[in-house]
C-alpha cells in the first residue's frame, strides 16, 4: 500500500512534503492524517492516544505549527509541510529537545515522548527562550500519564538553555 | 525477535531446552523456578520463575526474565544487576522480558514484585554465569580460581594485562549450568554499575519515535479489527442486522455466535464496517451512582483470599470507652480509571497451528494460559510477546482482546491488529474499585491511641493494617460484587486505606489539640517510617510553616509492600474555595536503591498520578454505562496541575530492594486533605476531594463522636 507514482489519475492522489520529502498518497474521503502516517506510510513514531485531540500523543508539525494528527484530514495538508518525530533529527543527530529528553531521562513509558518532543520543538522555534510558565502553557495539550511533567519541563528548559531544570512552582 | 524454540522453554526441562539452536553456541546459566510459599499464613509468597543468562561466542550477553516492561523501568533495573554481576557496562547487556517462548515463567508484573522477586533471581543467574566463566578460564589457564578476576567482559589473572574475553571462553561451547543457590553475589556496597547514575542505552529510540510499542507492531499483510463490544455493563447482544450496502475498503464482518467483529485493511474501514451494524441489546438493571454505596455494602463477594485480611487485638469497644477523644467517620474513594496513554492493543498471527500474539499485558504467561484455554490449544503453541507498552498502572492484566485478535486473524487468514479506541479503553477495561471505609478511633488524653476499628468495603486489603501502635484494634475488609468491572490499580486499596487512616490521625490530633507530627511520633515505633517522615518535615519546614489564612500544610505517612513513604503537601485555598496544590514532597525508602534516576521518576510520577485521584479523577456512570468515557470528560493531571514536586530517596544498602512503583503514591491524598484541613478547617472525606475544583460550601469541619 505504499505510494506509487501512479500518473494516470493525478487527481486521485495528493502531495505534501513529509520530513523533507515530497510524498503522494491516495485521496480518500475523510482520511485522517494520523492513520495515513502510521498505517500507510509506516511512520509509527506518531502515536494514537485518544483520537479526540485531547492527549497530544499524535502531535505533528504542519507548516511548523503543532497539530494533533488525529484531528487533521489528509486534504488539509495538501501542498503543506508535515514534520513528524522521525523528521526532527537530521543525519542521525538529535535536535536539542530530543537530546535533552534523552540525557535527562525525561520519560517513563515513553509513549507520550514523541508528541512532547514535537510540541516542544515547535515552541522553541517560535520562542527560543520561554519562561517556565510559557512552557507549561504551550505543553498543556500533551498528557504524560506517568506523571513525568517535572522532568519534561526540565528537559525543555535545558534545551532552551533557560531555567534551573528544577521544574518548580508556576 | 528470536526464532521460535521447539517448545516454550519454561515448559521444557532445563536439559531439553534448545537454547543453542535459538541463541547460538555459548554458555547458559539458569536459576530454576521456586514453588510458592504457603498461602493463608498472612505472608503468602508467590512462585518465582527463575532466570537465565546466555553468553555468546561474540561476547553478547543476554538475560531473560519473565517480567514485562510497561514503562516502570523494570527492564533497566534488571539489566543493571546483570551488568553488575557480569562486570560489564549496562549497554553490554540485552535484557529479554515478556516473551513466553524464551523467558522464565512468571506470575505477572504487578504488586511491586519485580524487585523483591525477579531482581535477586536475575542477580544470581548473572553471578552464576560469571562463576562459570571464571571456572572455564581457570581450567583453560590451569590456575586457581582465586587468582582470576572478571572485568570489562573478560577474565584475567589478577595483576596481568592479558585477558580471555567471555566470547573466547565460550567459543565452540554448548554448556548449560544450573546456578548454585549459594553462588557469591556482589555486595551492594561494592556496586559499580547498579545503584549509580545510569543512562538508558535505548533513549535515542524513545525520542526519535523508533521504539516499537504494542500498537506500532506491523506484520506483513496485516489487517485491522474492531469488535462489537457491549455499550454498557450488563448488556447482552440479542440480534445483529448487517447493512445491505457493501462494506467499504474490503472490510468484512466476522461472527462466531454472539461474538461479532469487523476486519479490514485499515483501522478506519474496520471501524466503519462495525458502525454499519445494527445491534439489538438487552439491558439488565445496573445500580447508578446514587445507589452504589448501598449496593456495595449489601452485596459481599468472596473474592480472592489474598485480598482479604482481618486483624483483631484487645477490646476495641473498651478502648473506645476509655478514650479522651473519639472520632467516627466514613471515607469514600471513587471508581477511577487507569487511562494508560496507549490503549489496549494486540496483534495476532498464525503460523499453521501455532499462534503468536503481541500484546500489552502485565501478565504474559497468564495471558498465554487464557488464550490457549479459550481457543482449546496447548500452551506450547501460543507465544505471547509483550513489546514496549505505553503504561499499565495495573490496568493491563489478562484481557479478552488478545483472544479477539487471535480469532480475527484466524478468520482473515492473515495477521490482525486490534486496538481499543479511547472510549473502549474506558468502558471495556476495568476500574480501580470504589472504597467505603468506616473508621472509629480513640486516643487518650496523653496522645496515645487506645482503640482502632477500621473496615474497608470493596477495595481490598493492601495497607489495611495500621503502622501505629494500638492496644485494641479490629481491621477488616470485605469485597463486594461490583456492578462496574474492577481490578488491580497501582497501589490499589493502599491508596484508600491510607487516605482514611492518615486523615483520621489528623482528626485525632486536632481533637486533642496537638501537633499532627508530634502525634504521629508518639504512636509510631517503626524507625524507618519515622525516618522518611522526618526527611519530609525537615524539607518542607514543618515547624516554620506558614499559618496564613488560606494556606495549609499537611503530612501523611504510609507503609506497604515493604516500602515506607511520607508526603508533605502545601495547598492554597482562595476566597472562592478554589484549591491549588502548591508543593508535594515525598520521601521514600524501599531498601537498596538499584536505579536511583528511575526510582526518582517513579516517585515523582506517583505523586502526580496520585494528585489526579486525590483532586478530581472520578468515573461517572449511569445504567452500566460510563458517562465520561473520553479525555474531554475524564480529567487527568496536565502541566497546569503540576505542583512543585520533589522526591527524596533513602538508600538502605543493608536492606534488600523492595518495589517502588506503587507505595510512593499512598501518602499524597491524605497529605493534601490534611493540608486543606489546616488551611480551612474543612475535613474532606471523599476522593476526589474537589471534583469541581472547589471546596463544597457546607463542608463538615470535625468528626468528633
Amino acid at each position: 500500500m505504499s505510494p506509487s507514482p501512479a500518473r494516470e489519475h493525478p487527481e486521485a492522489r495528493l502531495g505534501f512534503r513529509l520530513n523533507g520529502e515530497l510524498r503522494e498518497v491516495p485521496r480518500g474521503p475523510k482520511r485522517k492524517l494520523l492513520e495515513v502516517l502510521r498505517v500507510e506510510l509506516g511512520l509509527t513514531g506518531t502515536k494514537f492516544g485518544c483520537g479526540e485531540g485531547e492527549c497530544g500523543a499524535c502531535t505533528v508539525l504542519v507548516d511548523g505549527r503543532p497539530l494533533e494528527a488525529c484531528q487533521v484530514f489528509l486534504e488539509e495538508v495538501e501542498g503543506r509541510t508535515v514534520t513528524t518525530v522521525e523528521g526532527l533529527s537530521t543525519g542521525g543527530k538529535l535536535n536539542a529537545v530530543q537530546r535533552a529528553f534523552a540525557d535527562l531521562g525525561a520519560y517513563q513509558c515513553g509513549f507520550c515522548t514523541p508528541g512532547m518532543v514535537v510540541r516542544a520543538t515547535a515552541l522553541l522555534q517560535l520562542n527560543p527562550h520561554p519562561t517556565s510558565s510559557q512552557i507549561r502553557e504551550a505543553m498543556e495539550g500533551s498528557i504524560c500519564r506517568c506523571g513525568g511533567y517535572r522532568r519534561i519541563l526540565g528537559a525543555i528548559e535545558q534545551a532552551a538553555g533557560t531555567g534551573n531544570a528544577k521544574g518548580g512552582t508556576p | 525477535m528470536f526464532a521460535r524454540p521447539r517448545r516454550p522453554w519454561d515448559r521444557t526441562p532445563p536439559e531439553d531446552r534448545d537454547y543453542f539452536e535459538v541463541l547460538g553456541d555459548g554458555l547458559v546459566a539458569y536459576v530454576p523456578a521456586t514453588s510458592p510459599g504457603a498461602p493463608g499464613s498472612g505472608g503468602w509468597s508467590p512462585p518465582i520463575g527463575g532466570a537465565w543468562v546466555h553468553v555468546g561466542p561474540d561476547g553478547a550477553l543476554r538475560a531473560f526474565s519473565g517480567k514485562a516492561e510497561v514503562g516502570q523501568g523494570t527492564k533497566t533495573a534488571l539489566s543493571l544487576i546483570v551488568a553488575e554481576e557480569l562486570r560489564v557496562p549496562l549497554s553490554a547487556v540485552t535484557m529479554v522480558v515478556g516473551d513466553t517462548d524464551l523467558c522464565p515463567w512468571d506470575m505477572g508484573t504487578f504488586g511491586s514484585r519485580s524487585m523483591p522477586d525477579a531482581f535477586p533471581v536475575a542477580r544470581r543467574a548473572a553471578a552464576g554465569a560469571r562463576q562459570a566463566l571464571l571456572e572455564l578460564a581457570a581450567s583453560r589457564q590451569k590456575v586457581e580460581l582465586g587468582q582470576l578476576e572478571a572485568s570489562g567482559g573478560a577474565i584475567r589473572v589478577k595483576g596481568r594485562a592479558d585477558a580471555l574475553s567471555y566470547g573466547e571462553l565460550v567459543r565452540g561451547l554448548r554448556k548449560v549450568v544450573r546456578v548454585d543457590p549459594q553462588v557469591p553475589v556482589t555486595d551492594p556496597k561494592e556496586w559499580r554499575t547498579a545503584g549509580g547514575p545510569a543512562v538508558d542505552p535505548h533513549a535515542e529510540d524513545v525520542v526519535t519515535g523508533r521504539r516499537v510499542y504494542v500498537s506500532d507492531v506491523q506484520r506483513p499483510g496485516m489487517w485491522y479489527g474492531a469488535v462489537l463490544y457491549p455499550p454498557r455493563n450488563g448488556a447482552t447482544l440479542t440480534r445483529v442486522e448487517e447493512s445491505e450496502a457493501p462494506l467499504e475498503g474490503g472490510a468484512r464482518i466476522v461472527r462466531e455466535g454472539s461474538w461479532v467483529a469487523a476486519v479490514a485493511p485499515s483501522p478506519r474501514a474496520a471501524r466503519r464496517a462495525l458502525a454499519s451494524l445494527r445491534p439489538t441489546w438487552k439491558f439488565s438493571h445496573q445500580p447508578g451512582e446514587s445507589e452504589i454505596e448501598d449496593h456495595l455494602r449489601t452485596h459481599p463477594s468472596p473474592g480472592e483470599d489474598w485480598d482479604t485480611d482481618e486483624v483483631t487485638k484487645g477490646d476495641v469497644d473498651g478502648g473506645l470507652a476509655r478514650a479522651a477523644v473519639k472520632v467516627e467517620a466514613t471515607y469514600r474513594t471513587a471508581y477511577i480509571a487507569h487511562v494508560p496513554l496507549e490503549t489496549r492493543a494486540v496483534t495476532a498471527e498464525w503460523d499453521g497451528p501455532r499462534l503468536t500474539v503481541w500484546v500489552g499485558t502485565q501478565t504474559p504467561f497468564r495471558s498465554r494460559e487464557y488464550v490457549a484455554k479459550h481457543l482449546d490449544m496447548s500452551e506450547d503453541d501460543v507465544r505471547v510477546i509483550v513489546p514496549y507498552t505505553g503504561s499499565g498502572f495495573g490496568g493491563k492484566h489478562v484481557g479478552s482482546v488478545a483472544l479477539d485478535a487471535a480469532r480475527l486473524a484466524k478468520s482473515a487468514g492473515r495477521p490482525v491488529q486490534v486496538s481499543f479506541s479511547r472510549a473502549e479503553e474506558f468502558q471495556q477495561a476495568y476500574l480501580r474499585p470504589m472504597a467505603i471505609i468506616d473508621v472509629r478511633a480513640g486516643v487518650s488524653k496523653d496522645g496515645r491511641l487506645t482503640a482502632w476499628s477500621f473496615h474497608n468495603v470493596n477495595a481490598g486489603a493492601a495497607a489495611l493494617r495500621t503502622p501505629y501502635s494500638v492496644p485494641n484494634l479490629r481491621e477488616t475488609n470485605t469485597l463486594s460484587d461490583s456492578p462496574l468491572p474492577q481490578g488491580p490499580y497501582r497501589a490499589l486499596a493502599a491508596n484508600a486505606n491510607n487516605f482514611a487512616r492518615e486523615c483520621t490521625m489528623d482528626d485525632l490530633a486536632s481533637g486533642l489539640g496537638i501537633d499532627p507530627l508530634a502525634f504521629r511520633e508518639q504512636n509510631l515505633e517503626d524507625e524507618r517510617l519515622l525516618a522518611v517522615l522526618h526527611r519530609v518535615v525537615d524539607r518542607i519546614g514543618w515547624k516554620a510553616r506558614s499559618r496564613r489564612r488560606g494556606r495549609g500544610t499537611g503530612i501523611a505517612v504510609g507503609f506497604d509492600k515493604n516500602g515506607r513513604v511520607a508526603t508533605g503537601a502545601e495547598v492554597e485555598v482562595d476566597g472562592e474555595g478554589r484549591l491549588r496544590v502548591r508543593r508535594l514532597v515525598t520521601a521514600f525508602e524501599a531498601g537498596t536503591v538499584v536505579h536511583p534516576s528511575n526510582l526518582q521518576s517513579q516517585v515523582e510520577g506517583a505523586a502526580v498520578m496520585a494528585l489526579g485521584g486525590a483532586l478530581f479523577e472520578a468515573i461517572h456512570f449511569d445504567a452500566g454505562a460510563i458517562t465520561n468515557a473520553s479525555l474531554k470528560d475524564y480529567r487527568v493531571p496536565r502541566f497546569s496541575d503540576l505542583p512543585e514536586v520533589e522526591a527524596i530517596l533513602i538508600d538502605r544498602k543493608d536492606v534488600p530492594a523492595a518495589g517502588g512503583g506503587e507505595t510512593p503514591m499512598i501518602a499524597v491524598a491524605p497529605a493534601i486533605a490534611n493540608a486543606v484541613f489546616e488551611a480551612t478547617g474543612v475535613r474532606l472525606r471523599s476522593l476526589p476531594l474537589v471534583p469541581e475544583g472547589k471546596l463544597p460550601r457546607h463542608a463538615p469541619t470535625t468528626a468528633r463522636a
Side-chain angles (χ1 to χ4, degrees):
Chain A
M1 287 189 49
S2 61
S4 60
R7 295 282 172 239
E8 52 275 28
H9 299 294
E11 73 280 5
R13 306 181 72 82
L14 66 79
F16 59 102
R17 190 166 284 279
L18 175 62
N19 297 335
E21 279 177 47
L22 199 61
R23 303 298 292 258
E24 283 193 349
V25 293
R27 286 177 196 281
K30 301 196 169 163
R31 304 184 78 202
K32 290 283 172 57
L33 177 61
L34 178 60
E35 191 169 307
V36 172
L37 290 173
R38 288 180 53 82
V39 175
E40 192 165 329
L41 302 175
L43 293 179
T44 55
T46 307
K47 306 300 182 195
F48 170 85
C50 68
E52 307 166 339
E54 287 289 323
C55 77
C58 66
T59 304
V60 297
L61 303 182
V62 178
D63 290 343
R65 252 182 75 210
L67 293 176
E68 283 87 13
C70 74
Q71 300 297 302
V72 175
F73 288 108
L74 182 60
E75 278 76 7
E76 295 178 78
V77 300
E78 185 165 16
R80 293 172 180 265
T81 296
V82 176
T83 307
T84 68
V85 66
E86 290 91 347
L88 292 184
S89 39
T90 43
K93 192 171 175 290
L94 302 183
N95 80 12
V97 173
Q98 291 173 308
R99 184 79 268 157
F101 271 68
D103 289 349
L104 294 184
Y107 56 84
Q108 290 181 37
C109 80
F111 197 76
C112 73
T113 309
M116 290 279 180
V117 162
V118 168
R119 196 184 290 274
T121 298
L123 167 67
L124 298 194
Q125 279 167 359
L126 206 68
N127 177 2
H129 304 291
T131 63
S132 172
S133 61
Q134 285 171 330
I135 295 173
R136 284 163 183 260
E137 198 175 316
M139 300 301 292
E140 182 70 3
S142 287
I143 291 171
C144 170
R145 184 54 168 160
C146 300
Y149 294 117
R150 194 199 62 88
R151 275 204 197 173
I152 294 169
L153 192 59
I156 299 169
E157 288 177 343
Q158 177 163 310
T162 60
N164 51 13
K166 249 187 77 187
T169 25
Chain B
M1 193 173 115
F2 295 96
R4 197 160 188 175
R6 279 192 305 275
R7 284 181 71 201
W9 286 340
D10 71 302
R11 294 171 58 81
T12 309
E15 58 276 15
D16 297 338
R17 293 174 190 156
D18 48 350
Y19 284 125
F20 305 108
E21 283 75 12
V22 175
L23 302 172
D25 288 353
L27 169 80
V28 167
Y30 76 92
V31 173
T34 65
S35 325
S41 58
W44 183 77
S45 69
I48 299 168
W52 38 85
V53 169
H54 174 258
V55 183
D58 53 355
L61 301 171
R62 300 187 182 106
F64 298 77
S65 165
K67 291 295 173 194
E69 175 59 53
V70 295
Q72 77 284 37
T74 295
K75 195 170 168 174
T76 308
L78 295 176
S79 307
L80 276 166
I81 196 62
V82 170
E84 178 66 51
E85 294 294 353
L86 282 166
R87 313 283 189 254
V88 294
L90 177 62
S91 58
V93 173
T94 301
M95 193 75 217
V96 182
V97 296
D99 182 332
T100 59
D101 263 15
L102 304 176
C103 296
W105 180 89
D106 181 75
M107 187 174 59
T109 307
F110 53 79
S112 291
R113 302 303 311 172
S114 295
M115 297 314 291
D117 296 350
F119 179 83
V121 174
R123 181 188 195 185
R124 283 216 310 281
R130 184 187 72 222
Q131 188 69 18
L133 290 164
L134 285 165
E135 284 166 12
L136 283 170
S139 81
R140 181 84 60 92
Q141 300 197 317
K142 310 216 168 19
V143 294
E144 293 292 314
L145 260 184
Q147 292 174 257
L148 296 171
E149 64 181 0
S151 72
I155 310 271
R156 55 174 57 79
V157 175
K158 284 176 192 163
R160 267 172 46 189
D162 57 321
L164 275 169
S165 75
Y166 293 170
E168 287 171 81
L169 280 166
V170 304
R171 208 152 290 158
L173 202 67
R174 288 192 163 203
K175 187 178 169 71
V176 177
V177 178
R178 183 187 168 115
V179 175
D180 177 353
Q182 303 306 321
V183 67
V185 292
T186 310
D187 188 310
K189 294 185 188 80
E190 311 292 321
W191 281 352
R192 293 173 182 194
T193 303
V199 173
D200 177 3
H202 309 292
E204 287 206 6
D205 289 346
V206 180
V207 301
T208 55
R210 279 200 302 267
R211 175 181 275 186
V212 175
Y213 289 85
V214 185
S215 53
D216 301 333
V217 169
Q218 297 194 328
R219 302 294 300 167
M222 183 174 88
W223 279 19
Y224 298 83
V227 180
L228 185 64
Y229 294 117
R232 308 180 200 169
N233 299 303
T236 43
L237 190 64
T238 55
R239 214 163 88 91
V240 186
E241 279 178 71
E242 291 182 35
S243 160
E244 270 144 42
L247 298 173
E248 290 172 37
R252 57 189 194 82
I253 301 296
V254 181
R255 305 174 71 145
E256 286 179 27
S258 64
W259 181 82
V260 183
V263 64
S266 74
R268 178 165 181 269
R271 291 276 167 197
R272 287 180 62 84
L274 196 73
S276 75
L277 295 171
R278 287 187 298 274
T280 309
W281 302 95
K282 196 176 97 206
F283 300 106
S284 64
H285 173 75
Q286 297 285 309
E289 288 186 45
S290 63
E291 306 153 274
I292 190 68
E293 180 169 339
D294 275 352
H295 179 94
L296 294 175
R297 282 188 185 274
T298 54
H299 290 72
S301 147
E304 307 278 349
D305 62 353
W306 55 262
D307 207 19
T308 52
D309 195 6
E310 183 172 344
V311 194
T312 52
K313 192 168 74 175
D315 169 16
V316 171
D317 290 332
L320 279 170
R322 287 190 297 277
V325 171
K326 281 175 274 189
V327 298
E328 179 169 354
T330 296
Y331 288 81
R332 296 171 183 85
T333 68
Y335 287 104
I336 67 175
H338 306 81
V339 198
L341 200 56
E342 184 182 42
T343 59
R344 245 145 271 247
V346 187
T347 301
E349 179 175 303
W350 291 87
D351 175 11
R354 301 183 84 180
L355 170 68
T356 302
V357 291
W358 291 261
V359 54
T361 178
Q362 298 173 237
T363 56
F365 291 87
R366 282 203 341 225
S367 296
R368 178 179 71 184
E369 187 185 339
Y370 178 90
V371 169
K373 188 177 132 205
H374 284 86
L375 296 177
D376 199 19
M377 294 169 68
S378 161
E379 285 189 53
D380 287 357
D381 292 328
V382 179
R383 181 180 194 174
V384 172
I385 297 174
V386 184
Y388 283 101
T389 297
S391 69
F393 313 121
K396 288 179 175 168
H397 283 229
V398 173
S400 57
V401 64
L403 204 55
D404 293 335
R407 282 175 167 169
L408 279 172
K410 183 136 225 176
S411 166
R414 50 171 74 239
V416 170
Q417 182 174 94
V418 176
S419 178
F420 272 7
S421 69
R422 182 51 63 182
E424 285 169 345
E425 180 64 39
F426 275 102
Q427 181 72 47
Q428 308 302 330
Y430 53 86
L431 306 168
R432 183 175 90 177
M434 178 177 173
I436 306 152
I437 298 170
D438 298 320
V439 192
R440 288 185 303 148
V443 65
S444 67
K445 214 162 48 199
D446 63 354
R448 295 263 167 201
L449 287 166
T450 59
W452 185 260
S453 164
F454 193 93
H455 179 66
N456 178 319
V457 176
N458 192 47
L464 181 73
R465 299 183 183 200
T466 178
Y468 299 100
S469 308
V470 197
N472 306 295
L473 65 79
R474 183 162 58 241
E475 293 168 316
T476 52
N477 77 300
T478 50
L479 304 173
S480 305
D481 177 17
S482 167
L484 296 180
Q486 59 184 25
Y489 183 103
R490 190 179 194 179
L492 193 62
N495 285 306
N497 287 326
N498 210 53
F499 167 63
R501 179 166 46 241
E502 285 295 286
C503 289
T504 303
M505 289 300 287
D506 260 38
D507 262 2
L508 289 167
S510 149
L512 281 169
I514 65 172
D515 179 72
L517 170 63
F519 180 54
R520 284 177 172 80
E521 287 170 333
Q522 201 166 346
N523 289 281
L524 266 184
E525 282 167 15
D526 182 335
E527 291 297 330
R528 290 167 66 189
L529 195 48
L530 282 163
V532 289
L533 175 59
H534 287 141
R535 289 293 293 272
V536 163
V537 294
D538 287 351
R539 187 71 196 166
I540 59 174
W542 175 256
K543 298 234 156 67
R545 68 192 185 276
S546 161
R547 304 304 293 264
R548 244 171 51 211
R549 197 176 159 69
R551 294 287 280 268
T553 304
I555 50 173
V557 298
F559 170 79
D560 191 28
K561 300 182 174 80
N562 265 329
R564 275 110 176 136
V565 69
T567 296
E570 289 174 12
V571 306
E572 192 168 49
V573 180
D574 70 13
E576 305 287 307
R578 279 187 297 260
L579 169 63
R580 173 156 189 97
V581 177
R582 298 177 53 83
R583 189 179 181 202
L584 290 172
V585 177
T586 297
F588 182 57
E589 191 255 289
T592 308
V593 178
V594 176
H595 188 187
S597 164
N598 184 62
L599 185 58
Q600 192 195 25
S601 259
Q602 285 293 310
V603 176
E604 291 175 12
V608 173
M609 193 169 196
L611 181 80
L615 296 187
F616 43 71
E617 285 186 44
I619 282 289
H620 293 294
F621 54 98
D622 182 33
I626 289 170
T627 55
N628 57 342
S630 81
L631 285 176
K632 279 190 181 67
D633 300 319
Y634 184 95
R635 183 176 163 205
V636 299
R638 290 179 182 268
F639 266 100
S640 55
D641 298 305
L642 179 66
E644 190 179 336
V645 171
E646 205 175 327
I648 300 166
L649 304 182
I650 298 175
D651 187 5
R652 288 283 303 262
K653 296 240 187 274
D654 54 329
V655 179
E662 303 189 83
T663 305
M665 283 185 89
I666 69 174
V668 172
I672 293 171
N674 290 340
V676 170
F677 181 71
E678 186 175 272
T680 62
V682 173
R683 171 56 68 187
L684 299 174
R685 292 193 177 81
S686 293
L687 297 184
L689 298 172
V690 283
E692 312 302 330
K694 277 187 183 185
L695 267 60
R697 264 181 196 285
H698 304 290
T701 51
T702 108
R704 236 153 313 153

